[in-house]
Amino acid sequence: MYMKWPKRSYLFPLVSGIACLLFMSGCLKPSEFITDRIGIALAPRNNNWGAAVSKFGTVKAASYSLPYYLANAQSSSTLTDSASQRAQLINMAYPEENPCRVIILSPVGQDARSLDTILKAQIPLIFFERAVENVEYAYLVTGDNEQAGQQAATFIQDTLGATPPHVLILEAADTDYQIRIRAFRTQLGTSTIDSLVNTPTKAAGKAMMLSVLESEGAEAINAVYTADDDLALGVLEALNEQLNTTVKVVVGCGGEQKLLDLIQSDNTRAIATTRYAPEMIQSCVEMAYRIAILGETPDQKEEHHPSVLIDRSNLAEYLDPESYY
């Protein structure tokens, strides 16, 4: 048994052709490869909102039969979230095969310098939630975090009426949370009690609320702003377990159906949230499809989604038992 080689007259052109293809592929920039794949580089998937973004993004890509590379920034013993995301972006732009034609990026600690490699690859960037300063982008999709914070403060003021607000804020280090909270404080116009949580989860919200309730002066707190629905769910669970009646108002952010259900059913206090829809990622994927597959250039480069305060007055518009958000 042996392999029969091509005759010599065919061998040279065959070897030459393969060598030529290898040489050409080595010289091509990632943006010049023939590929339909898009990259979706997101923030850490550390709560239900982050999980919903990933889900909405991949389902939308699948609806276009669009191959994708999904990656959530994730710290480890050797990498921070931002370093993890930089490594993921390199893998999207410079894999051994099938580099991404467009990259959707929810930036975590990135700046113009850290994105330089991606920009040199001439891969269009679509920013989700926020842009990176001094970085050119193909498209930007954002929610209105300032408006969300302002609406939350106004709801607390209107609900409490003549009673002075004594507000506990549960905050996380994420950029969007900080924008909401700054706007909230400005709109509220009074001092607040601030507690920092490491991750915006229900468990973290419950633990922090239980800790605060045991502290001196907790009986003065009549409102809680979490800037996140998962945190709000934990806060409400803690308040109910402790049979607390001094907290009259709790406001989250996102639009999670579990919190909407409590807006409807909780008769102990007023609950609200501000809509910050994870479905916004679908606009990014649609634009990636139009750029990568249809070859279109968007007429407008930005898409802004306003915040909507959801309470009992408009709850029926947003209740959906078939959806998580």
Side-chain angles (χ1 to χ4, degrees), residues 50-162:
V53 170
S54 298
K55 182 69 173 178
F56 279 116
T58 54
V59 168
K60 186 68 171 178
S63 73
Y64 291 125
S65 298
L66 192 61
Y68 60 84
Y69 177 166
L70 172 69
N72 292 84
Q74 188 62 56
S75 61
S76 65
S77 58
T78 56
L79 293 175
T80 62
D81 286 346
S82 59
S84 165
Q85 187 174 76
R86 283 195 293 275
Q88 291 165 351
L89 289 169
I90 295 299
N91 288 336
M92 290 179 183
Y94 294 93
E96 292 183 1
E97 57 182 18
N98 201 15
C100 295
R101 193 166 218 173
V102 177
I103 293 177
I104 298 167
L105 173 60
S106 180
V108 179
Q110 308 305 324
D111 55 24
R113 183 176 180 180
S114 67
L115 295 177
D116 183 61
T117 303
I118 309 302
L119 298 173
K120 286 181 178 178
Q122 299 179 10
I123 298 174
L125 277 175
I126 297 175
F127 282 122
F128 175 58
E129 295 193 87
R130 70 193 75 90
V132 174
E133 190 174 356
N134 298 321
V135 171
E136 183 68 21
Y137 53 84
Y139 205 64
L140 167 67
V141 177
T142 64
D144 197 328
N145 286 293
E146 286 192 7
Q147 186 182 35
Q150 293 164 355
Q151 289 171 335
T154 299
F155 178 79
I156 289 173
Q157 291 169 325
D158 292 346
T159 303
L160 294 177

Side-chain angles (χ1 to χ4, degrees), residues 56-57 60 64 104 126-128 139-142 278-291 303-305:
F56 279 116
K60 186 68 171 178
Y64 291 125
I104 298 167
I126 297 175
F127 282 122
F128 175 58
Y139 205 64
L140 167 67
V141 177
T142 64
E279 302 100 298
M280 292 186 295
I281 191 68
Q282 293 178 327
S283 294
C284 297
V285 176
E286 178 184 350
M287 187 54 63
Y289 172 77
R290 290 168 59 184
I291 292 172
E303 180 179 323
H304 301 286
H305 293 250

Side-chain angles (χ1 to χ4, degrees), residues 15 40 65 78 97 166 175 180 196 210 238 275 284 301 311 313:
V15 173
I40 308 176
S65 298
T78 56
E97 57 182 18
H166 294 280
T175 301
R180 292 170 204 161
L196 182 68
L210 289 173
R275 183 78 169 133
C284 297
K301 295 183 63 175
D311 61 5
S313 68

Side-chain angles (χ1 to χ4, degrees), residues 38-51:
I38 66 168
I40 308 176
L42 301 176
R45 187 173 173 170
N46 55 14
N47 67 356
N48 288 333
W49 192 88

Side-chain angles (χ1 to χ4, degrees), residues 220-235:
I221 298 172
N222 55 17
V224 180
Y225 178 50
T226 66
D228 177 88
D229 284 352
D230 282 342
L231 288 171
L233 287 167
V235 165

Side-chain angles (χ1 to χ4, degrees), residues 303-322:
E303 180 179 323
H304 301 286
H305 293 250
S307 172
V308 178
L309 185 121
I310 305 173
D311 61 5
R312 284 193 172 185
S313 68
N314 62 348
L315 180 63
E317 300 176 40
Y318 300 95
L319 281 174
D320 182 1
E322 302 300 320

Side-chain angles (χ1 to χ4, degrees), residues 201-280:
T201 62
K202 179 181 176 180
K206 181 178 180 178
M208 184 59 71
M209 191 72 242
L210 289 173
S211 176
V212 170
L213 288 174
E214 294 175 357
S215 63
E216 184 177 353
E219 65 279 358
I221 298 172
N222 55 17
V224 180
Y225 178 50
T226 66
D228 177 88
D229 284 352
D230 282 342
L231 288 171
L233 287 167
V235 165
L236 289 164
E237 189 168 296
L239 293 174
N240 290 333
E241 282 187 7
Q242 297 299 307
L243 303 178
N244 177 278
T245 58
T246 58
V247 175
K248 304 298 184 183
V249 194
V250 175
V251 185
C253 181
E256 190 170 346
Q257 289 293 317
K258 287 183 179 180
L259 188 64
L260 301 190
D261 290 339
L262 291 178
I263 292 175
Q264 185 177 46
S265 62
D266 193 318
N267 296 315
T268 303
R269 57 190 63 85
I271 303 172
T273 188
T274 47
R275 183 78 169 133
Y276 192 74
E279 302 100 298
M280 292 186 295

